[in-house]
Amino acid sequence: MKKLLTLTLAFIFLLSAQTFAAENFKVAVGDPEDSEQAVAARAFKKYVEDATKGAVKIELFYGGQLGDESEAFRNVQKGTLPFAVGGIANLVPFEKRLGILNLPYLWDNLDEVVAGTNGKAADLLQSFALKAGFRILCWTYTDFRFISNSKHPIKKMSDMKDLKFRVPQSPVLIASYKAFGGSPTPISWAETFTALQQGVVDGQCYGYIGFKAMKFNEAKQKYLTEVHYTYQLQPLVMSERVYKKMKPELQAIMVKGGIYAQEQVLQYQKEEAQAAKDALIAAGLVVDQLEDEDEWKKAALEKVWPEMADQVGGKDTINNYLKAMGKQPWEPKK
């Protein structure tokens, strides 16, 4: 009996202690080590390595070491790179329906952004991504894309005139800047700092933590305006080809690791954005508020949404997403 009991306990222990084959996976991180992207990537790494007792290693490559974000996403789609985290605008060329997340004034506050990246809304976005060969594991929250520039304060829409802005290769963001009176210039993220420093463009848009991490205050960015036209979401994606080759136990760990990372980066954003803002102001950044943001929102809904609806999958796609996150449907003005 004693021997049988010992064998039984050993068998139970083996069942409860899942073993994993030793594997290494690379993650391309578009931003530097002190960014929100890095926080999400490190949280994901910690969860996976802890859950597999170190058998599975996650290697992080920051600041575009594995190519710019578009290239990294392309390699994830092909399955030659397991993971990448980057701006949503750089994922849109692979699945246009994800472009709904770039529609200006889609969200009014962070609570709405969180609602739009969880539950039914997240499931809908995941269905789009899977069609293109990506599995979204985590949404990285990086604040509203505040507009900065090197020339003068922006307090109203007319102040955008004659200013050139770096934007991602996103038809929606290009149309948005045109509607706001600015001149958009698509430039890759990896080339943005140099383009600002050399005066190729006058400004860009990013949240405080990312602005500080990228050291844009050293690239002539003196003025920033807290305009809330779009929230910067940066998904951590996994190659669906790589995912399908994994055993179910490891697949589950990857999914749970993404959930953990999303929780951690949301908390980080809430706690650190104000500290980054304070540090930038102390270093000389001039921060302004809009005097006419209602006009910006009106231009977005009356010009950009109707013009860009087909670019993001059509009116039905937009309204399915709005419904999934509990918002009223959109009806274009006739």
Side-chain angles (χ1 to χ4, degrees):
M1 282 294 292
K2 193 179 279 189
K3 188 175 182 180
L4 179 61
L5 179 60
T6 301
L7 289 171
T8 301
L9 289 173
F11 180 68
I12 292 172
F13 176 78
L14 287 171
L15 287 177
S16 62
Q18 174 67 48
T19 58
F20 296 91
E23 293 186 85
N24 283 23
F25 294 105
K26 294 180 179 179
V27 182
V29 184
D31 282 353
E33 291 187 49
D34 50 353
S35 65
E36 296 102 322
Q37 286 188 15
V39 170
R42 284 194 294 269
F44 178 71
K45 170 183 171 72
K46 174 176 169 42
Y47 187 94
V48 172
E49 292 184 352
D50 286 352
T52 61
K53 294 181 171 55
V56 177
K57 302 289 186 185
I58 302 294
E59 298 179 85
L60 307 180
F61 296 83
Y62 300 104
Q65 293 179 64
L66 300 182
D68 66 23
E69 292 182 359
S70 296
E71 182 182 355
F73 284 144
R74 190 178 302 112
N75 289 333
V76 169
Q77 185 186 49
K78 291 189 296 185
T80 56
L81 178 66
F83 304 94
V85 54
I88 186 63
N90 292 317
L91 196 60
V92 171
F94 302 97
E95 173 45 69
K96 71 176 186 178
R97 290 174 296 179
L98 291 172
I100 56 179
L101 300 177
N102 288 326
L103 287 172
Y105 291 97
L106 177 64
W107 301 293
D108 292 328
N109 51 57
L110 179 57
D111 288 341
E112 289 190 357
V113 176
V114 173
T117 48
N118 285 278
K120 293 180 180 179
D123 291 342
L124 184 62
L125 297 173
Q126 185 74 281
S127 70
F128 299 158
L130 289 173
K131 289 282 187 181
F134 302 94
R135 178 171 291 270
I136 298 169
L137 297 178
C138 161
W139 289 103
T140 305
Y141 301 101
T142 59
D143 215 339
F144 284 92
R145 295 189 73 139
F146 301 139
I147 293 176
S148 71
N149 81 98
S150 60
K151 300 295 186 183
H152 56 72
I154 296 172
K155 297 185 179 181
K156 49 189 182 298
M157 198 185 298
S158 58
D159 294 330
M160 294 282 284
K161 186 179 180 183
D162 298 326
L163 291 178
K164 295 178 292 183
F165 292 94
R166 177 271 168 185
V167 295
Q169 188 63 50
S170 162
V172 176
L173 292 180
I174 291 170
S176 298
Y177 273 81
K178 289 180 178 178
F180 300 150
S183 178
T185 302
I187 295 175
S188 76
W189 185 237
E191 298 172 352
T192 298
F193 184 94
T194 302
L196 293 168
Q197 197 173 47
Q198 295 179 350
V200 176
V201 288
D202 303 309
Q204 62 83 52
C205 55
Y206 219 48
Y208 286 116
I209 295 172
F211 185 107
K212 184 171 178 286
M214 292 297 293
K215 300 182 179 179
F216 284 147
N217 55 318
E218 298 178 12
K220 302 180 180 179
Q221 297 302 282
K222 183 177 180 180
Y223 306 98
L224 181 145
T225 302
E226 291 188 350
V227 53
H228 303 87
Y229 78 103
T230 189
Y231 193 97
Q232 172 74 328
L233 288 168
Q234 302 183 321
L236 166 61
V237 298
M238 179 179 187
S239 171
E240 186 64 5
R241 293 185 181 190
V242 174
Y243 178 84
K244 286 182 176 178
K245 292 178 182 177
M246 290 181 172
K247 292 182 177 180
E249 297 82 4
L250 188 54
Q251 289 178 340
I253 286 175
M254 296 297 168
V255 171
K256 290 177 182 176
I259 293 170
Y260 174 77
Q262 186 165 317
E263 292 170 348
Q264 294 300 304
V265 76
L266 177 59
Q267 190 62 33
Y268 178 84
Q269 173 60 227
K270 289 178 177 178
E271 293 173 353
E272 298 299 325
Q274 185 62 48
K277 176 180 177 178
D278 292 343
L280 289 166
I281 291 174
L285 183 68
V286 177
V287 175
D288 287 294
Q289 309 295 324
L290 285 178
E291 298 171 358
D292 62 346
E293 191 151 17
D294 286 346
E295 292 300 311
W296 294 62
K297 188 170 184 177
K298 181 180 179 182
L301 296 177
E302 294 184 4
K303 294 180 182 179
V304 183
W305 283 47
E307 180 186 348
M308 289 290 108
D310 288 343
Q311 292 275 353
V312 299
K315 178 184 170 184
D316 288 345
T317 296
I318 295 171
N319 283 334
N320 285 341
Y321 180 66
L322 291 173
K323 180 181 178 182
M325 63 174 174
K327 298 194 77 171
Q328 293 298 310
W330 169 62
E331 285 296 337
K333 284 194 174 184
K334 296 180 180 180

